[in-house]
């Protein structure tokens, strides 16, 4: 249910060309994630800067490229990781794995708004894989934010 509500906000943002034409790629992604943050806050989620040692992660990937980033989780805590990408991206995926390479949670839908919602199965380091499957004008920018409750 939370995923549908968040996706509705992301679709609304995608339909606003004026917002997309202003500012940098980072600004576009920050605006998208701010709208998501306002929505998920009403559901009890709060940003978890501790997981990445920063509040917001933004980067660039080429078509069919992925990046794995270390994330620190607390056992038993509920997390939500929300991904967004720019107007040239149409398929972005997220996958959380353990340090041994085992896949734990994934959002591999054919969309540009991946969301992982899970309870951390273990304390410590995990790997968040961000995969850019469809990027029209390369590189595409992406961003994601970690929430907890």
């Amino acid at each position: 249910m939370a995923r549908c509500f968040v996706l509705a906000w992301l679709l609304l943002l995608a339909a606003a060309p004026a917002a997309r034409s202003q500012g940098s790629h980072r600004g576009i992604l920050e605006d998208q994630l701010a709208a998501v943050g306002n929505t998920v806050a009403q559901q009890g989620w709060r940003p978890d800067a501790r997981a990445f040692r920063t509040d917001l992660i933004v980067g660039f990937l080429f078509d069919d490229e992925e990046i794995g980033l270390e994330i620190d989780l607390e056992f038993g805590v509920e997390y939500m990781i929300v991904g967004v990408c720019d107007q040239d991206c149409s398929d972005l995926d997220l996958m959380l794995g353990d340090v041994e390479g085992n896949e734990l949670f994934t959002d591999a839908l054919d969309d540009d708004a991946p969301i992982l919602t899970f309870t951390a199965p273990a304390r410590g380091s995990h790997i968040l894989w961000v995969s850019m499957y469809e990027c029209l004008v390369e590189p595409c920018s992406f961003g994601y934010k970690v929430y907890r409750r």
Side-chain angles (χ1 to χ4, degrees):
M1 174 125 152
R3 179 181 173 78
C4 293
F5 204 67
V6 171
L7 284 176
W9 275 101
L10 291 173
L11 291 173
L12 218 134
L13 287 170
R20 289 195 179 268
S21 64
Q22 297 174 2
S24 68
H25 286 276
R26 182 178 177 89
I28 292 168
L29 300 175
E30 287 173 343
D31 290 347
Q32 290 176 349
L33 288 169
V36 171
N38 292 335
T39 301
V40 300
Q42 297 170 5
Q43 300 166 9
W45 296 97
R46 66 183 193 281
D48 183 26
R50 182 184 113 21
F52 283 105
R53 317 270 190 275
T54 183
D55 187 40
L56 167 69
I57 305 296
V58 175
F60 294 92
L61 288 172
F62 288 89
D63 204 27
D64 292 324
E65 188 175 35
E66 65 182 10
I67 186 169
L69 300 162
E70 188 174 350
I71 178 173
D72 188 34
L73 301 176
E74 292 180 53
F75 171 75
V77 173
E78 278 186 274
Y79 289 95
M80 177 188 291
I81 303 175
V82 178
V84 296
C85 57
D86 67 26
Q87 66 272 17
D88 296 320
C89 159
S90 61
D91 191 5
L92 182 73
D93 294 344
L94 295 177
M95 190 276 284
L96 183 72
D98 61 23
V99 291
E100 287 82 32
N102 299 308
E103 181 178 317
L104 301 174
F105 306 99
T106 188
D107 180 335
L109 297 175
D110 187 13
D111 66 6
D112 61 355
I115 299 171
L116 297 178
T117 306
F118 60 93
T119 299
R123 178 177 184 260
S125 294
H126 291 73
I127 305 299
L128 179 68
W129 290 94
V130 180
S131 302
M132 180 71 62
Y133 282 104
E134 196 67 40
C135 175
L136 185 61
V137 179
E138 300 181 90
C140 283
S141 59
F142 69 90
Y144 50 92
K145 195 163 184 174
V146 180
Y147 298 91
R148 66 185 289 157
R149 68 171 173 192

